[in-house]
């Protein structure tokens, strides 16, 4: 049984009409950067719950979550309407294996995210531990519109902090934006645009690719890398080149 505790909203940031971030204080157990927990509310006599990744580093007491409001959803509209001081339920123990301890050594670590799935990478990079194993890190955030790049300033600050080790690349699929690539992530890998923009190769000899976000992006990218780059899924019993987390 999950151990639910009560959390209190300390702030809410509305990035767009649908994208928002919650900061919460709650007596949760220590977690590993990249993990997720569950948030719940009592609605019509039952607990409605969903899984959300931590955006904050484990040492930060401000528990942060990046969410999208799904108007027809049971939970997200209620979370979207929250105010500082409101209470919610949160599972104390985090879960998930989308963490650096599961990633093998390599020259270049690719962190590819769509939408709100950026969260685990921000937690990992903000913490900054166990990254000396990688010579280069690429953080890619793919969104539909430019205004969906909620954490771009934070990403740029991280790039400055890592002084050349971390390269930031944005992708926008519905409009042309200066500095961002245009299109879908699998297409940009297939046609070489992503590697050209970043200036690094994505090969089994040099790279490990972390994929987090839209299941279609994750599936299509894995299939592409398998067929055209001879990259394989990473398993503990059989080390490979791709690690994935699905966001629904």
């Amino acid at each position: 049984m999950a151990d639910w505790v009560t959390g209190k909203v300390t702030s809410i940031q509305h990035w767009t009409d649908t994208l928002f971030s919650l900061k919460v204080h709650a007596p949760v157990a220590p977690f590993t950067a990249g993990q997720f927990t569950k948030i719940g509310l009592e609605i019509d006599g039952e607990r409605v719950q969903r899984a959300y990744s931590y955006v904050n580093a484990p040492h930060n007491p401000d528990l942060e979550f990046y969410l999208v409001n799904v108007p027809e959803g049971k939970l997200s509209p209620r979370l979207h309407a929250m105010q500082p001081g409101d209470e919610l339920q949160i599972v104390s123990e985090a879960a998930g294996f989308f963490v650096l301890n599961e990633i093998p050594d390599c020259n270049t670590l690719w962190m590819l995210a769509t939408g709100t799935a950026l969260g685990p990478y921000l937690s990992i990079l903000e913490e900054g531990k166990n990254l000396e194993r990688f010579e280069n890190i690429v953080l890619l955030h793919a969104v539909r519109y430019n205004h969906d790049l909620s954490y771009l300033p934070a990403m740029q600050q991280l790039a400055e902090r890592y002084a050349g080790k971390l390269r930031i690349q944005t992708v926008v699929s519905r409009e042309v934006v200066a500095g961002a690539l245009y299109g879908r992530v699998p297409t940009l890998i297939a046609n070489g645009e992503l590697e050209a923009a970043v200036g690094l190769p994505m090969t089994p000899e040099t790279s490990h690719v972390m994929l987090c976000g839209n299941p279609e992006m994750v599936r299509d990218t894995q299939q592409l890398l398998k067929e055209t780059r001879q990259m394989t899924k990473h398993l503990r019993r059989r080390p490979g080149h791709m690690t994935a987390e699905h966001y629904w």
Side-chain angles (χ1 to χ4, degrees), residues 122-159:
L122 295 178
S123 181
I124 290 169
L125 291 167
E126 188 62 42
E127 182 180 45
K129 294 182 179 179
N130 203 21
L131 293 172
E132 64 281 351
R133 302 185 288 127
F134 313 109
E135 185 174 335
N136 304 295
I137 303 170
V138 179
L139 176 60
L140 178 148
H141 190 201
V143 297
R144 293 182 178 183
Y145 298 100
N146 186 50
H147 63 232
D148 297 330
L149 293 169
S150 312
Y151 283 88
L152 182 55
M155 293 164 64
Q156 293 168 335
Q157 289 177 0
L158 284 168

Side-chain angles (χ1 to χ4, degrees), residues 4-243:
W4 289 88
V5 297
T6 299
K8 182 171 288 189
V9 176
T10 59
S11 70
I12 181 167
Q13 172 73 53
H14 292 281
W15 304 105
T16 68
D17 290 344
T18 57
L19 292 171
F20 65 106
S21 294
L22 285 177
K23 287 187 178 179
V24 178
H25 281 176
V28 298
F31 67 93
T32 302
Q35 288 191 305
F36 64 87
T37 186
K38 289 183 178 179
I39 292 176
L41 289 173
E42 293 290 333
I43 301 173
D44 297 330
E46 65 172 335
R47 180 187 285 126
V48 179
Q49 57 186 338
R50 298 288 184 271
Y52 297 108
S53 289
Y54 286 106
V55 175
N56 58 292
H59 63 263
N60 189 339
D62 291 319
L63 309 178
E64 186 169 356
F65 304 95
Y66 186 29
L67 303 89
V68 59
N69 181 25
V70 182
E72 66 274 16
K74 283 188 175 182
L75 182 62
S76 62
R78 305 286 186 106
L79 297 176
H80 188 253
M82 287 198 136
Q83 300 293 325
D86 288 346
E87 293 185 343
L88 46 71
Q89 300 298 303
I90 183 170
V91 172
S92 175
E93 295 282 346
F97 298 98
F98 200 68
V99 297
L100 282 187
N101 288 344
E102 299 290 334
I103 305 299
D105 294 349
C106 65
N107 183 276
T108 301
L109 178 62
W110 297 80
M111 297 177 161
L112 310 185
T114 59
T116 57
L118 178 70
Y121 300 131
L122 295 178
S123 181
I124 290 169
L125 291 167
E126 188 62 42
E127 182 180 45
K129 294 182 179 179
N130 203 21
L131 293 172
E132 64 281 351
R133 302 185 288 127
F134 313 109
E135 185 174 335
N136 304 295
I137 303 170
V138 179
L139 176 60
L140 178 148
H141 190 201
V143 297
R144 293 182 178 183
Y145 298 100
N146 186 50
H147 63 232
D148 297 330
L149 293 169
S150 312
Y151 283 88
L152 182 55
M155 293 164 64
Q156 293 168 335
Q157 289 177 0
L158 284 168
E160 291 180 10
R161 171 179 150 190
Y162 282 96
K165 183 187 186 81
L166 173 63
R167 307 186 191 196
I168 301 297
Q169 183 60 57
T170 55
V171 175
V172 181
S173 64
R174 300 289 179 86
E175 60 182 340
V176 177
V177 177
L181 295 176
Y182 173 75
R184 294 185 67 243
V185 172
T187 303
L188 294 168
I189 295 174
N191 63 23
E193 284 189 54
L194 175 56
E195 289 158 287
V198 172
L200 293 167
M202 185 183 289
T203 66
E205 293 79 21
T206 63
S207 302
H208 192 92
V209 182
M210 298 179 74
L211 297 156
C212 191
N214 180 282
E216 185 177 347
M217 182 281 287
V218 172
R219 183 188 65 246
D220 292 351
T221 302
Q222 285 180 318
Q223 191 65 27
L224 172 74
L225 293 176
K226 178 182 177 181
E227 293 176 356
T228 66
R229 309 292 176 97
Q230 290 71 56
M231 299 177 88
T232 59
K233 289 184 180 180
H234 178 66
L235 303 171
R236 283 180 174 177
R237 66 180 184 274
R238 191 177 69 247
H241 317 97
M242 299 181 288
T243 299

